[in-house]
Amino acid sequence: MSLALNMFSRRSSSLALLLLVLSHPGKELFVASSADDRALTMRIKALSPTVSLDDARRVTYCAVTTGREMAREWRVIPVASLLPGLQNLFIHMGARKGGFCFQYSTELLVRLDALKLQTLEFPSS
């Protein structure tokens, strides 16, 4: 089974949240706020009867922690979810090393590939 992930980051108060969009027709945006978010784990598991609960948990943990780590490393500004162009401007000016959406996706796919999941496949980065 193939699962395409697009990842975005935002801050709410001082807590970085990960917006993980599962590209599944008719599904609304889902926000995971913790690395052990049961609702996201169950949504991933529900993608197919062959998806193991362990793999779904590992994907949830990896996605949330990757988003948070990258937001810290790239010093994503707190209002990036409201004004994403501002983060992009800082990147183009050389004030930030990263934070484009494709960079999050690429880093996430690299980390998910390293997990060697048994019941989920992701597009190659």
Side-chain angles (χ1 to χ4, degrees):
M1 140 172 243
S2 181
L3 173 69
L5 296 177
N6 292 316
M7 189 168 52
F8 306 93
S9 176
R10 96 177 180 193
R11 284 189 175 253
S12 173
S13 303
S14 62
L15 177 64
L17 297 177
L18 176 71
L19 296 180
L20 185 62
V21 180
L22 299 176
S23 59
H24 194 271
K27 294 292 181 182
E28 71 282 352
L29 181 65
F30 182 78
V31 179
S33 60
S34 71
D36 62 350
D37 190 293
R38 180 156 174 76
L40 178 57
T41 298
M42 297 315 294
R43 280 181 162 216
I44 294 169
K45 171 124 181 52
L47 291 172
S48 170
T50 61
V51 174
S52 76
L53 184 57
D54 182 57
D55 278 0
R57 284 182 182 136
R58 294 171 67 203
V59 168
T60 298
Y61 181 85
C62 182
V64 173
T65 58
T66 298
R68 288 179 179 166
E69 288 173 21
M70 296 298 91
R72 274 192 304 273
E73 181 178 322
W74 294 326
R75 297 182 5 238
V76 174
I77 58 174
V79 295
S81 64
L82 301 173
L83 301 168
L86 195 52
Q87 179 73 17
N88 296 355
L89 176 65
F90 287 154
I91 296 167
H92 287 296
M93 290 175 20
R96 300 290 191 274
K97 291 184 180 181
F100 290 121
C101 294
F102 77 88
Q103 291 171 312
Y104 280 102
S105 297
T106 300
E107 183 62 30
L108 178 58
L109 288 172
V110 167
R111 292 180 184 203
L112 288 170
D113 186 54
L115 293 177
K116 305 293 183 210
L117 300 167
Q118 299 298 308
T119 61
L120 286 168
E121 294 177 7
F122 297 92
S124 44
S125 50

